[in-house]
Structures are given as C-alpha cells and as structure tokens.
RNA sequence: GCACCCGUAGCUCAGCUGGAUAGAGCGUUGGCUUGCGGAGCCAAAGGUCGUAGGUUCGAAUCCUGUCGGGUGCACCA
C-alpha cells in the first residue's frame, strides 16, 4: 500500500510539475492520519513556489484517486500532506505481504563463524541469533538465502590448543583422547586452548614449539596426513568441534547452515588469487606479501607471511571465491564483530582492485560486543569468557519455576533471542540476565504471552471472522497498527536490521492490550469484526516472532 | 599520531535517508483488581538529545571543531 501510494503521488508530481521525484510516505502521529509526506516542502525550493500551494494541488489530485483508497487528503502545518485511508484500504493493507524487495535474489549470508577447537561464547550466541533472524527476514522478502559458516580450523589458535592438549594428556598420545567424556569435550578443548595460549605468552620455548605445530597443521591439509600422532589428535578434536557446533545450533533452534567453509579449504583458493595478482594488486614487502591499502585511504595488510603462510586476509578472500563458485550469489552479506570493520574494508578494497563486480556484491554488517552488568568485555584468551551454554542454562533456570521443562526451554530461548534482537545491530549491547528473562515489558516472553492470550480469545469466540462491518474508532486504531506490519518487515529486510520488527511487535501488542482493555470481543454484538482483528493480530505476532526465530505457542 | 564506531530520562534502549508537542521498558509515585488469560491498562514525575558553532523555512537526525568512551592500524584470527 505504501509503495503504491508513493508511486501514485510520484506520477502526480510529474504530471503537475514536470519533475521526477521519489516520494516517501511516513507513518505520522495517529491524529494526522495514516500516511504523511513532506514532498511539497521538498519541492518548494526547486519549483520556487509556496509549499502549501504545492501541497494543495497534490492533495486535490489524491482525492480523485480512482482506486478508492483515500478517504481524505489534508494539507497541514507548513505543507505536509496527510492521508487517511478508507477502512477498506486499511484492511487490505493489514493483509498485505512484504513486497518484492529481494524477489529472485540469491543472497549468501555468512555469520556465526566460530573457530574449531574453541568454545562458543556469548558473542557467538548473539551473532548466531542475529544472523538467523536476518536470514529469515531476507527469505520473507523473497530471497533465496544460503547460510555459510566460515571458521578457523587452522592457525595459531589451533596450534595453541594442540600444545595444551599434549600438555594435558602427557604427550602426543591420540589413544588418550578416548578418556575424555563425550559431553565435556568442548570444555576440555577450551581448557587446553587457554593452557596453550598462556604458555605462548609466558614461555619462549613453548612459543617456538607452538609455531612449529602451526606449520605442521597446515601440512596435514596440503600433504594429507591422518596417520601421525599429532594428525590423529588434530582430526579427532576438529570433528569434536564440528559435532559440538551442530548440537548447539540445534539446541537454540536456528536454521542449519548450508555449508561450512573451514579455513583450511579456503587458504589454497585464496593463495591462488593472491599469486595471480602479484605485482599488480599485491606486493612484496619485508619478505611478506601485502596489499597496500594506503592508496585507498586505508592501511596495509599482510596476505602471506614472510614464512609463506596465508593469513586470515587470504583465507577470507578465498572464501569469497569459494562461495560465489558454489552459489553464484547476487549479494553476499558477512557479519562479524564491529572490531573488524576497518580490516574488512581493506579486504574489500583489495578485492575491488582484482574484481570490481564481485567486490560490489559484498556487504559487511557488524554486531557489537556483549557486555555484562559491570561493563566488562569478555576474552577467550584470558579464559574469562561467559560461555553460551552458561547463559542459556542461567536463563532457563530462572524461568523454570512452576513450569514444565519443555515450556521453560521455549520461554528461555524467546527471552534470550529477543533481548539480543531488540537492539539495533552494530553497537555494543548490555546483557543483564535478570532483565533479559523478565517476563514484563519489552521482552520475548511478553510477546509470546500476548499471542497465547489472543489465541485463547479466538478459541472462545462463536462468531466467525468477518471484516465487512464499519469500524469504531478503537477498532480502526488497532487496524492502523496492524497495517504497518508489511512495511516494517520490508524495512528490516532492506536495512538488515531485525530490531525494527521487535519494536513494531511490541508497539502492536501495546496497541492491542489497550484495545482489549476497553473493548469486549466474545459475546459482543461486534464480535465478528473483532474476531477478525484479533485473528490478524495473532497471526502477525506469530509470523513476526517466527522471523526472529522465536516460537509462538498457543498456550503457556 | 591516523582512522572507524558510540555519547538521547536515574538505568537499558528506540527514534538518525532533516520535518508537526523527543518515545518505550525497567525503576519511582498514584489509580484500575469477582479480568473474553492483569505477563495487562490508565495517570504522574523525570530529557537545554555530551558540548560549541555551521547549513536550512525547519536539526536528536547533515557538516566542522571540541570533550568523553570504545575499537582498529604488517606478518594473530
């Protein structure tokens, strides 16, 4: 409806004033109407005319709208045009889809991206939840979404972990691995990693040994080795990590990944690209191969170390090529922590010098750090990580009182996911367990409850849904809010910002509660139309929550 | 030193492609409590939108300076 109105008015402007403009309608305060535009104010200078005159001329044309959508078009203030839709048009709008923003588009979405040999911490949980929601929102607007998980299965962090493992089990003894209980494998690896990382910092001998292990691990891939003692430990523990990731994603009920791209598989294609552009894009410098970003106003980054090993830059370039080969995407969206935004600019700049068309398909979005009450940042290197499983357990324990276990799990997931998603993506977020599990106010459980309550009303209704009646002021007010759903999802998809949906759903629930407080549904003479409204409300809540990866049980 | 991000009510945050009296939750104070599920609703208090300029008919929103916080700047990922 919004899009159609914008196109209509845009045509009118061209007819009347012979200029081409993109008209934008916004949702004003309810007192002003259903839609508003300031297009007359914008045109005023360009046309050298009084904005109110322009607005009056446009409003007059809008009143003649042949589609019977507009009940009134008023000029207000300095030159706003306020539209009020007919009830019919508003009802249609409340049932409209999300637009065709991404229809037919193939979008590759890369997120979560944990490193093998490490535990998942709260940051991973946040990014996984956010990435999952973005994927669902893109799909809702017509995109074919491919979910990719790019993680480090080679590199110094792996070597540190392997070193720690050898220390823990008393040498490179693969047979000892069977003594590690299956359910504590991830934690065991994490402890080994911390041990290795600590030794790397404190002990020069350990450091050089770890560097040797790092070289050896690369060779396990390039000259396949599954037999040597260290290789056996490596491959076994690597698989432990992937099993653990998969189990975790299932537990938090996010969409499965279409493909994992371990860094070991992206190093070669990355190196190939770098070598092909030596001397043109990349240059030798102090024995290393670098891209000099200064030319693009950025900084220099190393692609191949002086020891000949590919860095993350090379692997990250490699994965771009692997993914486009697999899915021939129109657009690639990669999500990382916001500390990598400068880094990613350099990688994209280098890619632009290699293949501008491919570089133009790249979009980098970032998520902030999860901070806890005291403002401390987490660091896996220091071992003071708040593990994702701990957060989940803590939240679930808090909501578990007097509630069946299955339901507690549903509510806990809703609480955690919503408390992450309601913030605008990009900035750091404060995570307060007590607040996140709060069932009151702007929370996931509040919306789940609101949905269950609406379903309960519908179950009691005897009249069948019927939207043919004229509307009362309160009914229309609720319908107006319902009609904003489609454009809200379109906006969230366009900006890759799930929080718009959270904000909207919460406002919608408030609008409904306000309506419900003063207007009887079941047994009322207006039951049919109200049942229709409640039905739309429940459906929108359910659908909106599903886009956030949150379930909407009928009872709770 | 250079670059990027952030600074809105006591706290946590929306609002930021410039527009009509700056919004919400939590917390505080008061009211609604035999309700179709009160996990709710109504009301009050609380903000010179870090700060100083600039652009504009109009700035929380754009630009510049400045202060404060965070992050990143070659062989880690």
């Amino acid at each position: 409806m919004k899009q159609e109105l914008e196109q209509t008015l845009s045509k009118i402007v061209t007819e009347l004033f012979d200029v081409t403009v993109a008209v934008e309608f916004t949702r004003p305060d309810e007192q002003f109407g259903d839609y508003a535009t300031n297009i007359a104010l914008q045109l005023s200078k360009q046309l050298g005319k009084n904005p109110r005159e322009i607005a009056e001329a446009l409003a007059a044309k809008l009143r003649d709208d042949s589609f019977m959508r507009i009940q009134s078009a008023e000029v207000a203030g300095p030159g706003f045009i306020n539209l009020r839709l007919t009830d019919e048009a508003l009802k249609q709008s409340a049932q409209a889809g999300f637009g065709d923003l991404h229809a037919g588009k193939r979008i590759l979405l890369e997120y979560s991206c944990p490193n093998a040999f490490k535990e998942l911490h709260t940051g991973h949980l946040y990014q996984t939840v956010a990435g999952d929601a973005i994927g669902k929102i893109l799909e809702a607007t017509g995109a074919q979404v491919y979910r990719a998980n790019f993680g480090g299965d080679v590199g110094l962090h792996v070597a540190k972990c392997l070193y720690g493992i050898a220390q823990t089990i008393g040498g490179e003894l693969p047979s000892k691995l069977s003594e590690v209980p299956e359910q504590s494998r991830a934690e065991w690896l994490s402890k080994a990693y911390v041990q290795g990382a600590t030794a790397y910092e404190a002990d020069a001998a350990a450091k050089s040994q770890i560097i040797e292990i790092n070289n050896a691990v690369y060779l396990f891939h390039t000259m396949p080795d599954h037999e040597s003692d260290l290789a056996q430990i490596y491959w076994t523990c690597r698989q432990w990590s992937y099993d653990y990731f998969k189990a975790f994603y299932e537990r938090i009920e996010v969409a499965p990944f279409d493909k994992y791209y371990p860094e070991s598989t992206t190093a070669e294609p990355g190196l190939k690209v770098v070598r092909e552009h030596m001397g043109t894009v990349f240059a030798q410098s102090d024995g290393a191969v670098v891209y000099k970003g200064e030319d693009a106003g950025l900084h220099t980054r190393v692609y191949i170390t002086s020891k000949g090993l590919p860095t993350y830059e090379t692997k990250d370039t490699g994965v771009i090529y692997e993914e486009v080969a697999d899915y021939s995407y129109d657009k690639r969206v990669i999500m990382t922590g916001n500390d990598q935004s400068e880094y990613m600019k350099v990688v994209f700049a280098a890619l632009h010098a290699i293949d501008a068309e491919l570089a133009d398909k790249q979009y980098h979005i970032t998520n902030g750090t999860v901070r806890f009450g005291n403002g401390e940042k987490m660091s896996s290197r220091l071992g003071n990580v708040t593990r994702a499983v701990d957060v989940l357990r803590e939240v679930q324990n808090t909501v578990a009182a007097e509630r069946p276990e299955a339901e507690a799990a549903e509510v806990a997931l809703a609480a955690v996911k919503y408390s992450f998603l309601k913030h605008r993506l990009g900035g750091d977020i404060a995570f307060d367990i007590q607040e996140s599990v709060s069932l009151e106010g702007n929370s996931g459980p509040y919306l789940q409850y609101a949905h269950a309550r609406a379903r309960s009303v519908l179950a009691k209704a005897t009249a069948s849904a019927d939207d043919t009646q004229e509307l009362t002021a309160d009914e229309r007010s609720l319908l107006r809010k319902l009609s904003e759903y489609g454009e809200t999802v379109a906006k969230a998809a366009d900006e890759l910002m799930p929080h718009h949906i959270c904000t909207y759903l919460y406002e919608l629930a408030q609008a409904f509660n306000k309506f419900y407080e003063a207007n009887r549904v079941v047994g009322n003479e207006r039951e049919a139309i109200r049942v229709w409204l409640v039905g739309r409300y429940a459906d929108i809540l359910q659908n909106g929550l599903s886009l956030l990866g949150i379930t909407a049980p009928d009872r709770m």
Side-chain angles (χ1 to χ4, degrees):
Chain A
M1 184 62 65
K2 178 167 173 269
Q3 255 182 34
E4 292 147 30
L5 289 169
E6 286 170 349
Q7 284 162 10
T8 301
L9 185 54
S10 188
K11 263 187 218 157
I12 294 175
V13 170
T14 307
E15 276 170 33
L16 250 44
F17 303 109
D18 198 30
V19 290
T20 309
V21 287
V23 175
E24 186 118 9
F25 274 107
T26 58
R27 292 285 190 161
D29 240 43
E30 194 171 357
Q31 54 172 314
F32 297 121
D34 299 320
Y35 287 102
T37 180
N38 60 5
I39 189 69
L41 292 158
Q42 289 177 42
L43 287 170
S44 160
K45 179 164 282 184
Q46 190 182 341
L47 300 175
K49 290 187 175 173
N50 181 311
R52 283 197 66 107
E53 271 175 39
I54 299 171
E56 285 295 355
L58 296 175
K61 280 279 187 188
L62 280 169
R63 287 183 203 112
D64 296 337
D65 177 51
S66 51
F67 296 101
M68 307 294 290
R69 293 171 298 197
I70 295 162
Q71 185 179 319
S72 68
E74 304 294 333
V75 177
F80 297 106
I81 302 170
N82 292 327
L83 292 188
R84 188 179 161 92
L85 299 183
T86 61
D87 288 358
E88 256 341 285
L90 202 58
K91 284 170 184 167
Q92 279 173 32
S93 182
Q95 297 174 93
F98 308 136
D100 52 2
L101 188 65
H102 294 108
K105 288 268 170 18
R106 303 167 67 84
I107 301 180
L108 186 123
L109 186 60
E110 186 181 303
Y111 62 98
S112 190
C113 300
N115 283 331
F117 296 85
K118 282 179 151 184
E119 269 194 296
L120 296 161
H121 54 74
T122 312
H124 291 117
L125 177 61
Y126 176 33
Q127 195 182 100
T128 305
V129 165
D132 184 56
I134 289 172
K136 289 176 160 92
I137 292 164
L138 289 173
E139 282 166 344
T141 51
Q144 176 68 49
V145 175
Y146 303 96
R147 294 169 170 81
N149 193 317
F150 174 54
D153 65 331
V154 289
L156 212 51
H157 74 278
V158 176
K160 287 173 182 172
C161 183
L162 289 175
Y163 177 89
I165 290 171
Q167 295 294 304
T168 307
I169 60 182
E172 293 176 6
L173 305 167
S175 59
K176 289 263 189 184
L177 291 176
S178 59
E179 290 170 19
V180 181
E182 192 171 336
Q183 66 276 15
S184 52
R185 284 171 179 171
E187 193 177 352
W188 187 80
L189 287 178
S190 173
K191 278 184 181 146
Y193 168 75
V194 172
Q195 195 178 344
T198 309
Y200 186 87
E201 301 288 337
D203 178 353
K207 182 172 174 176
S208 63
Q209 214 177 320
I210 287 167
I211 290 169
E212 264 177 52
I213 294 174
N214 190 26
N215 293 330
V217 170
Y218 277 100
L219 292 176
F220 294 159
H221 292 272
T222 52
M223 300 194 295
D225 176 2
H226 290 75
E227 302 307 320
S228 70
D229 288 340
L230 188 61
Q232 283 188 48
I233 295 175
Y234 172 75
W235 292 110
T236 301
C237 294
R238 180 178 181 273
Q239 190 56 45
W240 286 2
S241 278
Y242 288 122
D243 292 344
Y244 156 69
F245 295 156
K246 186 159 177 290
F248 180 78
Y249 294 139
E250 281 167 9
R251 164 150 188 218
I252 62 171
E253 294 173 19
V254 293
F257 285 89
D258 291 285
K259 189 163 175 180
Y260 283 71
Y261 290 87
E263 279 177 23
S264 59
T265 66
T266 70
E268 273 310 311
L271 284 168
K272 184 165 167 281
V273 172
V274 173
R275 289 192 187 113
E276 280 169 3
H277 296 85
M278 274 302 298
T280 51
V281 177
F282 300 101
Q284 293 279 351
S285 175
D286 294 338
V289 175
V290 304
Y291 169 73
K292 291 197 159 73
E294 282 75 7
D295 305 338
L298 303 164
H299 60 274
T300 293
R301 301 215 57 114
V302 172
Y303 276 67
I304 304 175
T305 69
S306 51
K307 294 200 173 66
L309 292 176
T311 61
Y312 189 59
E313 288 79 343
T314 294
K315 298 167 195 165
D316 221 345
T317 304
V319 78
I320 290 171
Y321 279 88
E322 291 292 288
E323 286 165 349
V324 80
D326 285 342
Y327 299 110
S328 50
Y329 53 73
D330 300 304
K331 178 171 177 174
R332 172 176 179 263
V333 178
I334 174 172
M335 176 156 44
T336 73
N338 55 15
D339 53 351
Q340 294 192 19
S341 35
E342 295 293 284
Y343 156 80
M344 200 60 75
K345 280 182 194 167
V346 180
V347 172
F348 287 175
L351 183 65
H352 194 87
I354 297 166
D355 184 341
E357 197 187 331
L358 183 57
D360 288 341
K361 293 176 178 171
Q362 310 296 318
Y363 291 82
H364 184 211
I365 57 177
T366 64
N367 61 280
T369 310
V370 179
R371 287 174 193 282
F372 290 86
N374 56 13
E376 271 176 26
K377 189 185 165 183
M378 307 161 307
S379 160
S380 61
R381 195 172 48 82
L382 300 172
N384 66 348
V385 175
T386 301
R387 302 185 306 164
V389 287
D390 293 337
V391 170
L392 289 174
R393 184 178 26 78
E394 191 71 23
V395 172
Q396 191 159 338
N397 287 346
T398 313
V399 298
E402 296 172 23
R403 201 187 292 269
E405 196 179 325
E407 188 181 312
E410 254 184 314
V411 173
L413 268 182
V416 171
K417 288 184 179 183
Y418 192 88
S419 70
F420 285 145
L421 292 173
K422 73 177 177 181
H423 297 111
R424 185 183 188 85
L425 211 52
D428 291 352
I429 63 169
F431 186 75
D432 183 318
I433 288 206
Q434 284 315 309
E435 195 186 305
S436 83
V437 302
S438 164
L439 309 181
E440 296 169 2
N442 191 359
S443 74
Y446 169 94
L447 293 175
Q448 283 184 317
Y449 180 81
H451 171 263
R453 188 154 77 132
R455 291 289 176 212
S456 162
V457 173
L458 291 171
K460 285 201 172 69
T462 52
S464 54
D466 183 350
D467 68 338
T468 54
Q469 283 172 275
E470 290 299 303
L471 297 169
T472 66
D474 280 3
E475 287 161 2
R476 194 180 193 287
S477 198
L478 174 59
L479 179 62
R480 184 180 181 277
K481 200 68 198 172
L482 291 168
S483 76
E484 291 175 27
Y485 182 54
E487 53 205 61
T488 302
V489 174
K491 185 179 180 182
D494 184 38
E495 297 180 11
L496 303 172
M497 289 287 176
H499 80 284
H500 288 308
I501 294 177
C502 295
T503 306
Y504 168 77
L505 291 179
Y506 184 62
E507 286 171 3
L508 176 65
Q510 284 187 130
F512 178 82
N513 284 334
K514 191 171 180 155
F515 170 84
Y516 186 74
E517 200 77 15
N519 297 276
R520 178 98 198 165
V521 176
V522 177
N524 187 277
E525 57 180 5
R526 305 189 56 78
E527 181 170 328
I529 177 71
R530 289 180 179 177
V531 164
W532 182 82
L533 285 167
V534 177
R536 276 311 296 149
Y537 166 68
D539 287 349
I540 287 174
L541 273 183
Q542 185 167 36
N543 187 265
L545 286 172
S546 79
L547 294 182
L548 302 172
I550 297 172
T551 57
D554 285 348
R555 23 187 6 161
M556 52 191 294

